[in-house]
Amino acid sequence: MSVLLIAGSPSHTSRSAALLESVGKRLAKHQIEVTQLQIRDLDAQALIHADFAHPSIVRAVQQVADAKVVVIATPVYKAAYSGVLKVFLDLLPQTGLKGKTVLPLATGGSPHHMLALDYALRPVLQALAAKQILPGIYATDAQVFVLPEGASTLSTDLAVRVDEAVHVLVSEVLLPKPHADASFAPVHFSQVRCSV
């Protein structure tokens, strides 16, 4: 069962990428296959001109198609997700997320942009036919610490929310435990007793 991590930040070092990486590391501890897609690394001209046949776009769209779970991370600009992410999502087929579980992540300068996940990104994910969209995780810049050498840490409360989201992904979507068979053994009609 593969998970695709999509980084929707135009920057090489970003808090949204750090948040996404923390999800990937937690999934890897459960032996979950994780692949990454950095939208900023796709051919810029192909993205802008919607060149569906460009090799980098074809590969990226195939990565989405092959994944069972998609985790999307974006910075919030002007109360919406990044333009880089918007351009990429526009290149996916109308049912590009069909049958997939999606975990949206976002970072922003203040708590005031928290609703961007529900009012800007979630409708697009629904329009792309996502099977299930988990509650998103929004983090302020003060909750994600990116160090100069590229390492990052999360605040305690944010780390707890990320742990909970990963637990849901693993236990309910990726590695669900089989339920005990709750069906009853067949009963012959002669064994049925009725009282009136």
Side-chain angles (χ1 to χ4, degrees):
M1 309 262 179
S2 66
V3 177
L4 177 63
L5 307 177
I6 299 179
S9 174
S11 171
H12 282 281
T13 57
S14 71
R15 287 178 174 84
S16 63
L19 183 57
L20 184 67
E21 183 181 337
S22 72
V23 171
K25 285 179 179 176
R26 285 163 169 80
L27 288 168
K29 288 179 183 176
H30 294 278
Q31 279 70 51
I32 303 293
E33 178 189 346
V34 176
T35 56
Q36 294 191 17
L37 171 58
Q38 306 281 347
I39 297 173
R40 69 176 171 270
D41 292 340
L42 299 178
D43 185 87
Q45 225 171 344
L47 277 172
I48 292 171
H49 294 291
D51 183 356
F52 294 93
H54 191 279
S56 70
I57 303 301
V58 171
R59 275 192 307 275
V61 171
Q62 189 60 51
Q63 280 185 279
V64 175
D66 292 343
K68 177 180 174 98
V69 171
V70 177
V71 183
I72 297 176
T74 179
V76 174
Y77 301 126
K78 306 282 194 281
Y81 56 96
S82 73
V84 170
L85 179 58
K86 167 71 169 140
V87 170
F88 177 71
L89 293 177
D90 285 347
L91 294 177
L92 293 179
Q94 187 62 40
T95 57
L97 296 176
K98 186 174 183 177
K100 301 180 191 314
T101 297
V102 181
L103 172 61
L105 311 172
T107 58
S110 79
H112 301 297
H113 299 298
M114 166 185 322
L115 295 178
L117 279 171
D118 289 330
Y119 291 107
L121 186 55
R122 184 174 290 269
V124 175
L125 301 176
Q126 288 172 330
L128 290 168
K131 174 184 173 185
Q132 178 184 22
I133 304 171
L134 298 178
I137 298 175
Y138 179 83
T140 63
D141 289 351
Q143 294 175 302
V144 182
F145 311 102
V146 179
L147 305 173
E149 63 274 6
S152 62
T153 59
L154 307 180
S155 69
T156 304
D157 61 322
L158 178 59
V160 168
R161 289 190 288 141
V162 170
D163 287 339
E164 289 170 353
V166 168
H167 174 74
V168 169
L169 279 177
V170 172
S171 64
E172 296 180 18
V173 180
L174 295 164
L175 302 172
K177 293 183 177 145
H179 298 292
D181 187 10
S183 62
F184 296 99
V187 177
H188 191 271
F189 186 73
S190 66
Q191 297 175 318
V192 176
R193 301 287 182 250
C194 297
S195 61
V196 253

